[in-house]
Amino acid sequence: MKMMLYNSIKKKYRKLRVFLEPHPFFSSMDRMKLSKIIRGYSEKGFLMLRPKGFKHRIKIRKNYTDREVVEYVLQDKYHLPPSEVTLSESPIILDLGTNIGLTIAHFKELYPNASVYGFEMNPENYKLALYNTRVYKNVSIANKAVWIDNAGITYASDASYDSFAIDRSTKQVESNVTKVPSITISEIIKAHGLKKIDYIKMDIEGAEEDILDQEDVSWLDIVEVLNIEMHFEQGDDRIKEYMSILEQQGFDVRESDAHWSSIFAVRKTS
């Protein structure tokens, strides 16, 4: 009987300890809020969180996708440059696939003098991104898809919030579609008068292949560092094709050690 009681108390203590021990990103209250959002959970409304070190609160939806975004950004940090790279004091950063804006917020916390240009095709994500970056200067976010032309793009509006579900043969989806404006990277460069881009984070849900497959990738000439998530399954050898494209454009290229389908590319020094 005593042993059963002891084990019961021990089990409850282990659960409680999760919230009592210091956490590198969140207070105990915020951790408790996040713990309620489990896989398959979805509820109307928003959660307000205050990551440690941030100067303001962030807003996420009450769904597991947004909880995962929080973890990818603040815990896994997939969006950051490779560890061997030091960006300049006032870098120009392109965040292609901004989602709900947490990557831009984190960039601005790490590089306060950075100028960041974000692009997010999902209208609801875009609204949250504006909110989550509201306190930062030199941030521009557009509700556009980064694509191979400016004719617009359609995606499955009933898919998960961060998905880019297009038919690769027709560039269309069959039903429940949302159409948004699109823009090319060359047009981004021209619109903002960019002469140099210190860092590009590209996570645009599969469109990376089409963009890198284009005959004209001259926009790469002014880029110093890239982090591109290719959205291949783990072990897919096609990633090497795109590493080769970047190598031919003058980059030292390697697979990310943090994400199975991401490429790091750093401009070779002469």
Side-chain angles (χ1 to χ4, degrees):
M1 186 69 177
K2 288 183 179 180
M3 183 59 69
M4 289 177 62
L5 180 61
Y6 170 76
N7 288 333
S8 175
I9 293 173
K10 189 175 180 180
K11 187 175 181 180
K12 289 179 180 179
Y13 170 73
R14 284 174 178 166
K15 289 184 178 180
L16 186 62
R17 187 178 60 183
V18 172
F19 301 104
L20 295 178
E21 290 182 344
H23 189 274
F25 310 115
F26 292 109
S27 67
S28 296
M29 182 64 69
D30 281 352
R31 290 164 69 193
M32 192 169 293
K33 292 177 186 176
L34 285 169
S35 71
K36 295 178 181 179
I37 303 177
I38 60 176
R39 190 175 297 276
Y41 175 95
S42 183
E43 183 181 309
K44 289 184 178 180
F46 301 92
L47 283 184
M48 303 300 296
L49 305 168
R50 182 71 175 267
K52 293 178 182 178
F54 276 44
K55 300 179 181 66
H56 66 95
R57 294 192 301 170
I58 61 172
K59 181 192 289 187
I60 70 169
R61 291 165 294 225
K62 294 180 179 179
N63 62 57
Y64 193 73
T65 299
D66 278 12
R67 176 182 171 171
E68 282 191 311
V69 171
V70 169
E71 292 173 353
Y72 291 160
V73 174
L74 296 177
Q75 179 175 309
D76 300 322
K77 303 179 182 179
Y78 292 145
H79 60 292
L80 293 184
S83 57
E84 66 269 21
V85 168
T86 301
L87 298 185
S88 66
E89 193 166 317
S90 302
I92 302 295
I93 298 174
L94 263 57
D95 187 7
L96 310 182
T98 293
N99 201 274
I100 61 174
L102 301 190
T103 48
I104 289 182
H106 196 214
F107 284 140
K108 289 296 291 185
E109 292 293 337
L110 295 175
Y111 312 105
N113 298 322
S115 295
V116 186
Y117 302 91
F119 294 84
E120 171 55 41
M121 71 171 186
N122 183 293
E124 298 307 314
N125 284 349
Y126 168 71
K127 291 174 186 176
L128 276 178
L130 291 179
Y131 181 88
N132 287 328
T133 60
R134 67 197 181 281
V135 304
Y136 301 110
K137 296 179 179 179
N138 299 321
V139 169
S140 170
I141 306 176
N143 185 197
K144 293 183 177 182
V146 180
W147 187 233
I148 60 175
D149 57 41
N150 59 8
I153 195 116
T154 54
Y155 71 96
S157 54
D158 59 352
S160 61
Y161 285 110
D162 62 347
S163 69
F164 189 34
I166 62 170
D167 184 318
R168 305 202 67 76
S169 60
T170 64
K171 308 299 185 277
Q172 300 287 321
V173 288
E174 295 181 355
S175 62
N176 299 319
V177 301
T178 296
K179 184 166 185 177
V180 294
S182 60
I183 190 170
T184 68
I185 298 176
S186 294
E187 288 171 333
I188 293 170
I189 290 169
K190 183 177 180 180
H192 295 286
L194 303 179
K195 305 299 182 186
K196 177 187 176 184
I197 301 171
D198 294 272
Y199 181 55
I200 291 180
K201 184 227 85 180
M202 189 184 298
D203 180 2
I204 44 181
E205 305 303 326
E208 304 86 3
E209 294 174 61
D210 296 85
I211 289 171
L212 291 177
D213 279 335
Q214 290 294 290
E215 185 174 335
D216 182 11
V217 288
S218 57
W219 54 269
L220 284 167
D221 293 344
I222 68 168
V223 179
E224 294 297 312
V225 183
L226 299 102
N227 177 352
I228 306 177
E229 184 176 337
M230 294 303 303
H231 294 88
F232 294 140
E233 295 295 329
Q234 195 162 7
D236 192 327
D237 282 342
R238 284 181 297 164
I239 195 170
K240 292 181 171 58
E241 296 175 23
Y242 296 94
M243 293 175 69
S244 178
I245 290 172
L246 292 167
E247 286 170 351
Q248 291 169 26
Q249 297 299 318
F251 292 90
D252 285 319
V253 185
R254 67 175 176 84
E255 294 184 51
S256 167
D257 48 12
H259 191 283
W260 65 90
S261 189
S262 289
I263 297 171
F264 286 148
V266 181
R267 174 70 59 190
K268 292 180 180 178
T269 55
S270 53

